[in-house]
């Protein structure tokens, strides 16, 4: 028997799990592939293991609440395959769905689906300031992964630089876990509240609970840790590892302090590699300052039968991801089983809950929009860490009318390393736009190529097209 | 449409490896040159190049091609030096000799016969490729898999970085005063007195001569200058691994280690039309073959795989020609943009600068297809 299913869901976070639960209710055959050992995604990483432990107190109630969805996901009939990393997707030549190639237990496997749902989440907006590649500097997302998986926190006082909900949340979690914060360098530019006051009120109205929580975090942090507002520029120094950092506030003079750990965060952006590789049309989101795949109201991409749900389709958070997963499930069910009818009222309810969350989101997008310098760093900043390409090397390419990220890649090797341009994609797009006097939206990102996830030549070699799975 | 100010001696349509090498050669010959390049939507066969400067086994059915290829390999050391000097970018060329693995005694015998034919074709010029057995091979390249029974080896083979070559050519073109116009896809080539006008999205450009080096685009452009260029697309797939310590001291026909330390694995031939997406089954076959030849590669992480569309004539050999009805209009097509870069810059370009292709290139005219059918 060849391995054909109705629906392949990639990612077992809030969107993937919700879609699996909803679609399996309709009797579709579903396989859920996820690279982690347990369901939950990034937001609820390891939540099953942490259910009653002290750590869930550290991580907070929203984290612990994920266990309920994980339980329902475990109980649903979808075939969940953990530690399965998807390295390639072949779309079905316009006929809908496609083939998903994944690696599990060092075995390359293939699975064919009539529909594919990408619930692959977001990534941190890559940092770009001089010295960010030094050991001792880390993204808050990565720091949170170590906290969730092993309960680990950095050893010694931590500087935090950045802005956005995740930065404040992690600072709170770090303190609860017994960590020390040397200082919080808030990079939110001054004067953001007043012009966005209407959006603020709207957010308070539609999303009172998370908004109040966010305000409370900020107040608590401002009162208890050294707080530096309006940080406009940052440099990390120290030779072989971080020893000092220098920050400059808007209109201020540079201040240098000793630092052993620096955690940075400038918000998150959709992970676009799978949809870019597939050739799904992308759209620039001015509000979120990033690309996201073009989706219809159900989450279907420009390719038939290929859907996106959750933050991979635009940042809106875990609650929205659950709703978008369910909406995608409805559309997929309609497509594959036209005889079954979804409750119109249920769809209406999903949409209305989703629109309230999106309405509340606008404030966060505007208030925490990354400052320009976070996107257009000075010359001595490493843009591509894998290949060691600096902003200066890219800016030097002004001659001869070169102005395309793929050309920059071909000429500088930026984006050719193991991370495949996930770290430098936006940096190169921004710099290319600067060189050519256009906008990142028109420049676009690198073309994405397989493998999406690491695979060895040997593993690739044993991929058997005719292989059948049990 | 308004005319773009300066007229050039020669307009080169296409800024890939072929067009750029010819443009560089023309500039070296003292011409003023304008390169009209399509935007990044172009198929960019150049980026799919594997980077071999390869002589052995080429031209078995067309001895002029065997000689032309060998001539290019002989020009490569000088060409690489000139490029580094003029453009400041070294194309990472080296000529350690190249190996073609044989996985059965039967293949080995076939290769032996082929090398004999090629040797005879070169009219006294020593061909230099030879069959070596497993024992000799182990001394040159330790770590081969048990299935490799022997190889053919040629001291004239080498490799270069296609990306650095491309960048080096563009940089040298700029340094020599050449003009490069991006996003200027040629829409039409028209006669203009004794010269030509090329209409593009960026305006019209005038030159005394015009060279069509637009890869697959030549098929559509050539009829306007009275030429016929029958081409077919062929997809090539390439895999690149992570960087590793020096493992493979010389290029082989299926894998080579780059100056950066990555290992490129390639060699597939599919007829898939003009799509350059990667296809997993083919990529897997390439990986399988590479690991069979060289088991240690199995441990390496794949960083990237990609497909690119090669430009092949119906018989697979290059097309070099001048139009009989439109003097001064030339068309060039080949799939070995790296191997032949030396010849394109230092042998072909001077002929175009003189305004006539030498008789030695007659065999490459597309009139050879007049009675042929596509295969």
């Amino acid at each position: 028997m060849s391995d054909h299913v109705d629906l392949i869901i990639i990612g077992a976070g809030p969107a993937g799990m919700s879609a699996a639960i909803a679609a399996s209710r309709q009797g579709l055959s579903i396989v859920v592939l996820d690279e982690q050992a347990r369901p939950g995604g990034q937001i609820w990483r390891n939540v099953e293991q942490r259910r009653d432990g002290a750590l869930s107190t550290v991580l907070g109630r929203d984290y612990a609440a994920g266990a309920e969805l994980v339980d329902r996901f475990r109980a649903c009939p979808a075939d969940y395959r953990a530690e399965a990393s998807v390295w390639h997707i072949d779309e079905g030549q316009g006929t809908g769905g496609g083939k998903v190639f994944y690696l599990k237990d060092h075995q390359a496997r293939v699975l064919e689906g009539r529909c594919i749902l990408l619930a692959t989440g977001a990534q941190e907006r890559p940092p770009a300031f001089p010295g960010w590649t030094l050991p001792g500097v880390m993204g808050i997302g990565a720091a949170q992964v170590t906290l969730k998986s092993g309960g680990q926190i950095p050893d010694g006082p931590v500087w935090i630089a950045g802005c956005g909900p995740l930065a404040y949340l992690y600072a709170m979690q770090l303190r609860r876990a017994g960590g020390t914060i040397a200082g919080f360098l808030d990079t939110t530019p001054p004067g953001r509240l007043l012009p966005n006051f209407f959006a603020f009120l709207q957010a308070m109205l539609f999303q009172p609970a998370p908004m109040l929580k966010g305000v409370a975090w900020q107040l608590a942090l401002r009162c208890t840790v050294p707080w530096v507002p309006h940080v406009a520029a940052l440099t990390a120094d120290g030779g072989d590892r971080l020893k000092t950092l220098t920050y400059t506030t808007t209109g201020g003079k540079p201040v240098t302090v000793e630092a052993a750990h620096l955690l940075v965060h400038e918000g998150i952006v959709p992970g676009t590699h799978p949809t870019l590789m597939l050739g799904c049309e992308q759209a620039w989101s001015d509000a979120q300052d990033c690309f996201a795949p073009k989706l219809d109201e159900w989450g279907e991409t420009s390719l038939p039968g290929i859907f996106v749900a959750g933050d991979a389709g635009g940042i809106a958070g875990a609650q929205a991801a659950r709703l978008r997963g369910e909406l995608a499930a409805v559309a997929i069910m309609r497509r594959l089983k036209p005889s079954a009818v979804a409750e119109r009222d249920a769809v209406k309810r999903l949409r209305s809950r989703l629109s309230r969350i999106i309405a509340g989101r606008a404030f966060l997008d505007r208030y925490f929009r990354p400052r320009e310098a976070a996107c257009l760093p000075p010359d001595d900043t490493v843009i591509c860490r894998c290949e060691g390409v600096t902003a200066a090397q890219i800016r030097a390419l002004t001659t001869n009318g070169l102005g395309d990220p793929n050309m920059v890649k071909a000429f500088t090797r930026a984006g050719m390393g193991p991370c495949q341009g996930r770290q430098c994609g936006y940096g190169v797009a921004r710099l290319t736009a600067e060189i050519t006097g256009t906008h990142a939206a028109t420049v676009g990102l690198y073309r994405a190529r397989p493998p999406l996830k690491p695979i060895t030549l040997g593993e690739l070699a044993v991929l058997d097209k005719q292989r059948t799975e049990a | 449409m308004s005319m773009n100010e300066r007229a050039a001696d020669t307009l080169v349509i296409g800024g890939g490896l072929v067009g750029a090498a010819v443009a560089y050669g023309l500039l070296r010959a003292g011409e003023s040159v304008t390169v009209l390049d399509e935007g990044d939507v172009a198929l960019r066969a150049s980026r799919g190049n594997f980077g071999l400067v390869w002589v052995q086994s080429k031209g078995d059915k067309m001895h002029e091609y065997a000689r032309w290829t060998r001539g290019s390999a002989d020009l490569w050391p000088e060409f690489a030096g000139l490029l580094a000097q003029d453009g400041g970018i070294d194309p990472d060329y080296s000529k350690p000799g190249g190996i073609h693995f044989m996985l059965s005694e039967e293949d080995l015998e076939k290769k032996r016969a082929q090398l004999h034919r090629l040797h005879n074709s070169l009219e006294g010029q020593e061909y230099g490729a030879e069959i070596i057995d497993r024992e000799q091979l182990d001394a040159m390249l330790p770590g081969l898999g048990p299935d490799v029974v022997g190889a053919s080896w040629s001291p004239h083979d080498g490799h270069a970085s296609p990306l650095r070559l491309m960048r080096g050519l563009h940089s040298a073109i700029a340094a020599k005063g050449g003009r490069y116009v991006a996003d200027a896809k040629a829409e039409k080539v028209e006669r203009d007195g004794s010269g030509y006008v090329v209409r593009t999205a960026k305006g019209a450009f005038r030159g005394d001569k015009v060279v069509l080096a637009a890869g697959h685009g030549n098929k559509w452009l050539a009829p306007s200058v009275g030429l016929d260029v029958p081409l077919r697309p062929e997809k090539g797939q390439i895999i690149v691994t992570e960087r590793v310590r020096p493992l493979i001291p010389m290029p082989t026909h299926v894998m080579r280690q780059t100056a950066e330390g990555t290992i490129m694995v390639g060699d597939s031939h599919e007829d898939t039309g003009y799509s350059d997406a990667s296809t997993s089954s083919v990529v897997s076959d390439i990986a399988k073959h590479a690991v069979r030849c060289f088991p240690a590669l199995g441990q390496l992480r794949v960083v990237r795989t990609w497909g690119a569309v090669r430009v092949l004539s119906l018989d697979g050999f290059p097309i070099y020609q001048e139009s009989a009805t439109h003097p001064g209009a030339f068309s060039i097509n080949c799939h070995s943009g790296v191997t032949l870069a030396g010849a394109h810059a230092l042998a072909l370009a001077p002929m175009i600068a003189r305004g006539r292709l030498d008789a030695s290139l007659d065999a490459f005219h597309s009139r050879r297809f007049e009675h042929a059918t596509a295969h």
Side-chain angles (χ1 to χ4, degrees), chain A residues 87-90 101 386-387 393 397 399-402 404 406-407 409-413 415-420 447 449-451 453-465, chain B residues 37 40 44 47 163-164 166-167 170-171 174 178 180 182 239 241 243 260 262 265 276-281 283-285 287-288 290-291 297-307:
Chain A
W87 62 270
H88 185 44
I89 306 164
D90 255 353
F101 296 79
C386 303
E387 296 286 331
Q393 283 169 278
L397 290 178
T399 54
N400 265 348
L402 311 171
D404 173 272
N406 298 307
M407 200 83 162
K409 180 179 179 177
F411 278 12
T412 64
R413 297 188 63 80
M416 284 199 180
C419 95
Q420 298 212 324
R447 186 161 177 180
R449 301 285 192 181
K453 293 284 170 181
I455 183 168
T456 67
L457 207 58
E459 288 161 345
L460 192 54
V462 297
L463 169 73
D464 189 338
K465 300 162 255 185
Chain B
D37 204 6
D40 214 64
R44 296 272 178 228
R47 286 197 202 144
L163 296 177
R164 288 184 65 85
M166 181 80 157
R167 191 178 170 194
H170 280 269
S171 163
Y180 171 87
I239 303 172
T241 72
R243 296 181 184 209
E260 288 89 14
T262 62
V265 184
D276 59 353
S278 314
T279 318
S280 290
S281 50
V283 168
S284 176
D285 290 342
K288 200 178 295 174
V291 174
L297 297 186
Q299 305 301 313
L300 301 183
R301 266 174 50 178
V302 174
V303 170
R304 212 160 60 248
T305 67
W306 75 90

Side-chain angles (χ1 to χ4, degrees), chain B residues 154-211:
Chain B
S154 157
H156 304 294
D157 294 334
H159 56 161
S161 160
L163 296 177
R164 288 184 65 85
L165 171 60
M166 181 80 157
R167 191 178 170 194
L169 283 168
H170 280 269
S171 163
I173 287 169
K176 287 258 162 205
R179 184 176 179 207
Y180 171 87
V181 189
D183 297 321
K185 182 183 177 162
E187 282 149 8
K188 225 172 178 184
V189 183
E190 288 166 2
R191 216 50 181 271
D192 178 59
S194 62
Y196 294 91
V197 165
V198 178
R199 305 211 177 268
T200 77
K202 286 266 180 85
F205 296 84
R206 195 188 183 283
D208 295 338
K209 284 172 287 188
V210 63
V211 177

Side-chain angles (χ1 to χ4, degrees), chain B residues 137-275:
Chain B
L137 195 51
D138 281 333
M140 293 166 83
L141 202 67
L144 291 175
D147 295 343
V148 180
V149 297
S152 63
W153 179 78
S154 157
H156 304 294
D157 294 334
H159 56 161
S161 160
L163 296 177
R164 288 184 65 85
L165 171 60
M166 181 80 157
R167 191 178 170 194
L169 283 168
H170 280 269
S171 163
I173 287 169
K176 287 258 162 205
R179 184 176 179 207
Y180 171 87
V181 189
D183 297 321
K185 182 183 177 162
E187 282 149 8
K188 225 172 178 184
V189 183
E190 288 166 2
R191 216 50 181 271
D192 178 59
S194 62
Y196 294 91
V197 165
V198 178
R199 305 211 177 268
T200 77
K202 286 266 180 85
F205 296 84
R206 195 188 183 283
D208 295 338
K209 284 172 287 188
V210 63
V211 177
L212 311 186
H216 281 288
N218 276 6
K219 201 166 172 172
W220 293 277
L221 290 170
S224 56
V225 291
L227 287 169
D228 178 34
V229 180
L231 299 173
R232 62 186 167 94
E234 187 194 69
K235 197 159 93 180
Q237 297 265 358
I238 294 177
I239 303 172
V240 181
T241 72
E242 61 189 316
R243 296 181 184 209
V244 281
R245 66 184 168 80
L247 266 181
I248 309 176
M250 63 194 69
T252 80
H253 74 301
V254 284
M255 66 189 86
R256 70 180 193 92
Q257 188 161 23
T258 66
E260 288 89 14
T262 62
I263 290 174
M264 291 178 79
V265 184
D267 194 37
S268 69
H269 302 270
E270 308 164 71
D271 183 8
T272 51
Y274 300 96
S275 156

Side-chain angles (χ1 to χ4, degrees), chain B residues 36 95 103 113 135 139 147 183 215 265 299 325 332 336 338 347:
Chain B
L36 303 172
K95 198 197 266 198
L103 298 177
E135 206 174 314
D147 295 343
D183 297 321
V265 184
Q299 305 301 313
T325 54
I332 306 172
S336 298
V338 172

Side-chain angles (χ1 to χ4, degrees), chain A residues 38-327:
Chain A
R38 288 177 196 84
Q42 295 297 346
I43 182 123
W44 295 317
R45 176 183 281 272
N46 237 0
V47 70
E48 284 178 311
Q49 301 291 96
R50 305 273 170 241
R51 212 179 290 260
D52 304 310
L55 201 59
S56 60
T57 329
V58 166
L59 293 167
R61 213 175 291 162
D62 285 349
Y63 173 74
E68 176 264 339
L69 186 65
V70 169
D71 287 344
R72 286 205 287 133
F73 171 66
R74 288 273 197 194
C76 88
D79 176 358
Y80 162 59
R81 300 181 189 174
E83 294 181 302
S85 67
V86 172
W87 62 270
H88 185 44
I89 306 164
D90 255 353
E91 58 120 353
Q93 310 293 329
T95 56
K99 280 186 193 156
V100 174
F101 296 79
Y102 68 101
L103 200 63
K104 185 170 165 60
D105 307 325
H106 300 288
Q107 279 276 327
R109 299 161 199 248
V110 193
L111 193 58
E112 205 164 339
R114 294 167 68 199
C115 281
I116 295 171
L117 174 66
L118 300 163
T120 44
Q123 65 167 80
E124 280 190 290
R125 191 183 289 279
F129 57 89
W132 71 273
T133 52
L134 283 176
V137 184
M138 197 177 185
I140 278 184
Q144 212 189 26
V145 168
T146 63
L147 177 60
K148 285 175 181 172
S149 14
Q152 285 175 340
I153 55 168
D155 176 25
V158 175
W159 286 89
I160 295 179
C163 65
L166 189 60
Y168 309 124
L169 170 62
Y170 178 76
M172 295 299 288
Q173 292 171 335
L174 179 63
R175 279 179 0 124
R176 286 190 222 126
T180 320
I181 296 173
F184 196 116
L185 308 174
D186 191 289
T187 58
T188 316
R192 282 274 171 96
L193 189 57
L194 218 54
N196 298 310
F197 203 71
F198 178 72
F200 175 74
L201 292 179
Q202 199 180 6
M204 278 296 192
L205 181 68
F206 288 118
Q207 293 289 298
M211 282 295 289
L212 287 172
K213 200 159 44 187
V215 172
W217 290 341
Q218 274 223 28
L219 288 176
L221 290 167
R222 280 172 195 250
C223 296
T224 50
V225 306
W227 185 273
V228 185
H230 311 324
V231 169
L234 193 64
T235 305
D237 289 298
D240 57 342
R241 71 159 288 131
L242 177 69
K243 292 196 180 80
T244 61
L245 67 87
T246 304
Y247 61 87
T248 313
T249 55
T250 307
K253 289 203 177 99
V255 177
T256 301
V257 291
E258 279 183 27
H261 301 282
L262 170 62
L263 301 181
V264 292
H265 181 74
E266 291 290 347
I268 56 177
V269 293
T272 45
H273 253 63
T275 48
L276 277 174
M277 188 190 75
L278 278 161
C280 301
E281 282 176 44
Q282 308 279 323
W284 176 261
S285 160
D286 222 25
Q288 301 196 330
D289 211 24
C290 61
F291 283 99
K294 263 189 198 165
L295 304 175
D296 72 3
E297 54 174 346
W298 303 99
E300 192 165 7
T301 65
S302 59
L303 299 176
I306 308 238
F307 290 76
V308 174
D311 278 356
I315 305 304
Q319 295 310 320
R322 294 175 69 159
L323 301 170
R324 286 150 101 189
E326 289 188 49
L327 282 170

